[in-house]
């Protein structure tokens, strides 16, 4: 298996981008990544996107995007794993380079979500849940994560304020990210008194509906070393795991098994322990998610995610900074793009190019991207060579 | 790169399967493939499906199908390239084995199309066209292929009867396939006098709306040789190429560039010429498509596809048998499943297990799977070792 490097990154601003179509967004991010990589062509393209059919009436993205990028007739693959589509695209592109099938592979993530009404978006997102057992009966993602939050609070004594602190911390970070959708400071009190969505989750516990795209360029590490333009960032691990799509089939809904399995696999592949990781971008689609992810990845013991957040472990200056980009909560969550936007932030930090939000120690970073209520998870570990 | 073998195959009947949901169909085909392979577990799953969101309200198939197959928490990847989703899934699974990431990979294709109305199905399928420049303005796939047929008849003198002969030949084959949706003999006269869909294409020129699934099990050739249960079938080439999604952007709408590029790449990878191929399964979504595919792959010269069909080149007893399974026309076309169903037929023929439709010479077979009006194409070449 060939070692794989990331040699270029790009992303659009995240937000309600009414002047940009799905293809515009993807091409903007892709061209930035290609320019950053300093390559003059790509051999193949992989795009992560959750449900362009329901959001925009457009499937067949491989064909469309390869063409609009001016790179046809190269192979154009679209992959989907709900909100983990971006992370899964990176794993797919990794294998394309690792196997020797292609040398220079563009991997992008994109979602155009604001062309439909709020109700239509809620329906589209609910297709990541189990249609027969959850979505059809009216379950929505805020509702499903509210169940998880309630169970976590009941089982472990997690406080309402702990949930709110996740959002406060991520907004503190997003304030410093020029690409973020919501660059504003918020307080625990504001979160707790914001509009109720699904008890105990309020609007400020939820990541927003967002348009956006992000892209990276991959090539073999040996090729990247010859370029010598930037510090070479190596993908030392890629791992993907699944769990039941439906919550009711799980032994313990507070435990994200797919994240636990993917993190263990990734740490094994990279040959490191979780304590060797300097920082992480994780899938905080709802505040409770970040707490459960900390526990599933073994950053803290089960039940301790809320307390750890309260104690500042995951703050920018903490021992294990989480979501220095602002996370899904502040940066925005164009579902198919999120997994690649996480990689964009990890590479930016590893290169020391994160400006005001640059972490002191950033040699080895982790990205955790999740589909549905944890039905799938993808974990990557990146290192500066 | 490790060599990759197909060690197991399975498929459901194709048709209007009102008692089977999407997950039922996939699991049926997958369990048959796993039993045929004689393995007791799979390390990873790749599913090709075009638009489960629009057809059934369900995305996130990787999670759902890995679970219902009883194989979670293995990685579960869904790929999409419109009607070439099945072929693309095989290419993706190939790279997973070739790279060394996984040993035993289940690759399946599935589509559940009959839970929606005809109008909804037409809308869902049109998402494979360019939404902004074609679908939004009312273009449908019968309409787009009717443009291609009209241009081909005008440019090359292809006859209405030549189109009809593709359907007649494929029904002759499908009559012998117990999995086929329409097992009935038809005549050129019946095709020409069947209900008009989009001039010059009638209902008997069009592949149907179908439910169904197909699956194969992959592993390294070295591992397959140790099993010694069946003749080992090796994937000697996999290639994917794109073209513009929209017809109006192409230099010549009668020439399927993505198929030409993918076929050339595949022949190069396998180290053979098109004349070395014994038979092929190709994407006859409309009768004109099969004619254009013969030309794009270099089986005949441009403009000669109609005449070659008329002369019997592609009949079961001809020099280059095409669609011995009955093709999309007679066997049915559950869009995401089609690419894997083609592989099912090629492997069945290579193993000599095709019964009444068994070809005399079947040592090296090709499968060509296409998305949209040729916006993408995937070509595989398989050989018995």
């Amino acid at each position: 298996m060939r070692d794989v490097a990331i040699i270029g990154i790009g992303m659009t601003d995240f937000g309600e981008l009414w002047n940009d179509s799905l293809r515009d967004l993807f091409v903007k991010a892709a061209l930035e990544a290609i320019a950053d990589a300093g390559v003059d062509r790509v051999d193949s393209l992989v795009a992560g996107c959750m449900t362009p059919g329901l959001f925009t009436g457009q499937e067949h993205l491989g064909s469309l995007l390869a063409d609009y990028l001016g790179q046809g007739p190269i192979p154009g693959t679209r992959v989907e794993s709900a909100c983990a589509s971006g992370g899964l695209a990176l794993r797919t592109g990794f294998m394309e380079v690792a196997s020797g099938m292609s040398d220079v592979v563009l991997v992008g993530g994109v979602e155009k979500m604001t062309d439909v009404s709020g109700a239509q978006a809620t329906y589209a997102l609910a297709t990541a849940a189990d249609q027969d057992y959850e979505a059809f009966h009216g379950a929505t993602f805020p509702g499903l994560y509210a169940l998880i939050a309630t169970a976590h609070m009941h089982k472990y004594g997690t406080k309402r304020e702990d949930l709110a602190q996740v959002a406060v911390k991520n907004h503190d970070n997003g304030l410093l990210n020029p690409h973020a959708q919501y660059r504003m400071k918020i307080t625990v009190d504001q979160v707790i008194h914001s509009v109720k969505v699904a008890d105990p989750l309020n609007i400020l516990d939820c990541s927003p509906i967002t348009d956006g795209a992000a892209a990276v360029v991959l090539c073999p590490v040996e090729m990247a070393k010859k370029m010598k333009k930037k510090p070479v960032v190596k993908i030392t691990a890629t791992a993907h795991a699944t769990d039941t799509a439906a919550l009711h089939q799980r032994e313990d809904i507070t435990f994200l098994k797919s994240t636990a399995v993917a993190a263990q696999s990734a740490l094994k592949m990279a040959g490191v322990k979780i304590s060797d990781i300097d920082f992480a971008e994780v899938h905080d689609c709802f505040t409770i998610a970040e707490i459960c992810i900390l526990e599933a990845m073994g950053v803290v013991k089960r039940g301790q995610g809320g307390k750890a957040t309260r104690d500042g472990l995951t703050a920018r200056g903490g021992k294990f900074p989480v979501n220095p980009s602002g996370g899904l909560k502040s940066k925005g969550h164009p579902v198919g793009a999120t997994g690649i936007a996480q990689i964009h932030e990890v590479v930016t930090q590893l290169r020391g190019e994160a400006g005001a939000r640059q972490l002191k120690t950033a040699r080895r970073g982790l990205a955790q991207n999740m589909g549905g209520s944890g039905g799938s998870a993808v974990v990557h570990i990146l290192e500066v060579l």
Side-chain angles (χ1 to χ4, degrees), chain A residues 64-370:
Chain A
L64 193 85
L65 300 176
D67 175 33
Y68 275 79
L69 193 57
Q71 296 291 311
I74 62 163
T77 298
R78 174 203 161 201
V79 301
E80 179 264 324
S81 187
C83 309
S85 298
L88 185 58
L90 184 59
R91 180 176 181 269
T92 307
F94 174 95
M95 293 192 292
E96 184 148 357
V97 176
S99 68
M101 279 289 283
S102 299
D103 287 330
V104 182
V105 175
L106 178 92
V107 178
V110 63
E111 209 83 47
K112 176 71 190 174
M113 302 174 74
T114 67
D115 279 355
V116 297
S117 69
Q120 286 173 307
T122 299
Y123 172 80
L125 291 168
T127 62
D130 189 314
Q131 171 62 220
D132 296 5
Y133 291 93
E134 293 181 326
F136 179 81
H137 305 281
T140 62
F141 273 99
L144 293 169
Y145 275 97
L147 291 175
I148 295 175
T150 303
H152 203 279
M153 293 164 87
H154 177 74
K155 186 167 183 178
Y156 297 117
T158 300
K159 297 177 186 170
R160 179 66 189 86
E161 290 76 10
D162 298 342
L163 303 180
Q165 184 56 35
V166 172
V168 169
K169 182 261 295 175
N170 289 346
H171 272 263
D172 280 351
N173 293 343
L175 194 59
L176 305 175
N177 184 349
H179 290 302
Q181 182 170 8
Y182 291 119
R183 299 183 66 189
M184 59 188 195
K185 211 172 162 54
I186 58 172
T187 64
V188 167
D189 194 59
Q190 283 175 321
V191 178
I192 292 176
H193 294 98
S194 63
V195 175
K196 183 78 65 198
V197 176
D199 192 41
L201 302 177
N202 295 350
I203 191 81
L204 287 176
D205 289 285
C206 307
S207 59
I209 300 287
T210 311
D211 301 326
V216 299
V217 177
L218 309 183
C219 77
V221 164
E222 291 311 309
M223 185 187 288
K225 281 181 178 167
K226 287 176 195 148
M227 297 184 178
K228 287 182 183 166
K229 279 184 54 188
K230 311 245 178 195
V232 173
V233 174
K234 181 182 166 183
I235 302 174
T236 56
T238 178
H240 183 207
T242 50
D243 195 356
T244 67
L247 280 189
H248 73 270
Q249 292 177 302
R250 298 185 196 164
E251 213 171 305
D252 177 356
I253 65 169
T254 67
F255 182 63
L256 297 168
K257 192 172 83 174
S258 61
T259 290
V261 172
Q264 283 164 13
S265 302
L267 292 168
K268 189 178 166 194
M269 187 173 175
V272 298
K273 298 190 297 293
I274 189 73
S275 55
D276 297 324
I277 303 293
D278 295 328
F279 68 101
E281 285 282 309
V282 311
H283 198 93
D284 61 319
C285 47
F286 298 91
T287 49
I288 182 62
E290 184 170 312
I291 288 171
C292 294
I293 291 162
L294 293 175
E295 299 171 9
M297 297 204 308
V299 176
V300 297
K301 289 191 180 150
R302 288 202 202 181
Q304 297 299 305
K307 183 178 181 304
T309 304
R310 192 190 322 148
D311 294 346
L313 176 80
T314 55
R316 215 162 60 252
K319 205 175 153 200
F320 190 84
V322 170
N323 284 326
S325 72
L328 286 52
K329 176 66 200 79
S330 163
K331 187 179 56 192
H333 183 28
V335 287
T338 282
I340 302 297
Q342 293 178 323
I343 300 297
H344 186 282
E345 177 69 11
V346 173
V347 172
T348 302
Q349 292 284 351
L350 292 177
R351 286 180 179 178
E353 296 174 350
R357 66 184 193 285
Q358 180 65 46
L359 300 170
K360 273 184 294 188
T361 307
R363 298 283 305 170
R364 184 182 289 125
L366 178 150
Q368 179 270 357
N369 187 201
M370 193 157 70

